[in-house]
Amino acid sequence: MFESSNHERTDKYGNHYQISIETEDGTVVFDSSPTLAFDCKAHGISVKRSEPFSYSIVYRIEHGRLFLARLAVHPRRFCKKPCVLGAEPSRYGDNDWVLYEFDKLPCAYTGELTIGQDFDRSFWEHDEKARPVPFAPYTYRKNGYMRIENGVVTETVLRKRAE
């Protein structure tokens, strides 16, 4: 079972996007430096500026590697969408989104991810509408970082949180 970390970002063109990073070992990702991203324009995809976001990317960390798993796009026009990195597009939702599914497409990302493990349930007050559960390193019992070079995890450091 994969744990997922969701983040909302804005790309260099001003489009809002959502990024999810799934891990197989219960690790959550708080941030990345440099930012994990996907340049839709560089792949010939024109996105519509929409709320809450124009596109969504899912990355997966599995067996010590970083993969691109899915890309969902709210396109500007509904003409035939290009094949992206070997994946054919398919429509989904109310037919106003285009989905690209990749079969463990390796990523060449190099950088550092801020990570955490073992959520401290004392931060969950059983009423997420009144008091949202914070998504921050201090709510996890272990914190650290993961270094990735050309898509390969080279180092993972987790330390117990100071009480």
Side-chain angles (χ1 to χ4, degrees):
M1 182 166 143
F2 284 90
E3 183 73 36
S4 181
S5 309
N6 298 309
H7 309 275
E8 292 185 14
R9 302 276 192 256
T10 302
D11 67 15
K12 63 184 176 182
Y13 308 109
N15 299 308
H16 298 290
Y17 68 96
Q18 180 181 22
I19 184 170
S20 297
I21 304 163
E22 299 175 345
T23 62
E24 61 188 345
D25 63 356
T27 300
V28 295
V29 178
F30 298 108
D31 205 0
S32 59
S33 178
T35 301
L36 269 166
F38 186 86
D39 191 342
C40 289
K41 193 178 257 188
H43 292 278
I45 303 171
S46 177
V47 299
K48 183 187 289 186
R49 286 199 181 186
S50 59
E51 293 298 327
F53 50 89
S54 299
Y55 57 99
S56 175
I57 315 158
V58 177
Y59 288 97
R60 181 174 290 147
I61 299 172
E62 188 175 357
H63 305 299
R65 302 278 321 255
L66 178 68
F67 299 101
L68 179 60
R70 287 183 302 282
L71 172 66
V73 179
H74 194 187
R76 186 171 294 165
R77 287 180 239 90
F78 280 101
C79 54
K80 172 73 172 136
K81 297 296 160 216
C83 180
V84 172
L85 300 170
E88 290 290 332
S90 63
R91 287 189 176 185
Y92 85 102
D94 292 337
N95 276 335
D96 58 349
W97 284 87
V98 174
L99 178 67
Y100 294 92
E101 293 203 64
F102 305 98
D103 185 29
K104 293 185 179 180
L105 184 66
C107 295
Y109 175 81
T110 296
E112 189 172 289
L113 308 178
T114 305
I115 60 172
Q117 273 186 355
D118 195 15
F119 178 70
D120 183 346
R121 296 191 62 78
S122 68
F123 287 97
W124 185 49
E125 298 189 26
H126 304 285
D127 189 357
E128 294 175 6
K129 291 182 181 176
R131 294 188 180 163
V133 177
F135 182 68
Y138 69 86
T139 62
Y140 287 78
R141 290 188 176 100
K142 296 177 189 172
N143 293 283
Y145 62 88
M146 181 183 293
R147 286 202 178 109
I148 299 175
E149 292 181 23
N150 284 329
V152 177
V153 176
T154 59
E155 182 180 20
T156 301
V157 174
L158 280 166
R159 294 184 182 94
K160 286 189 176 185
R161 172 186 77 202
E163 296 294 329

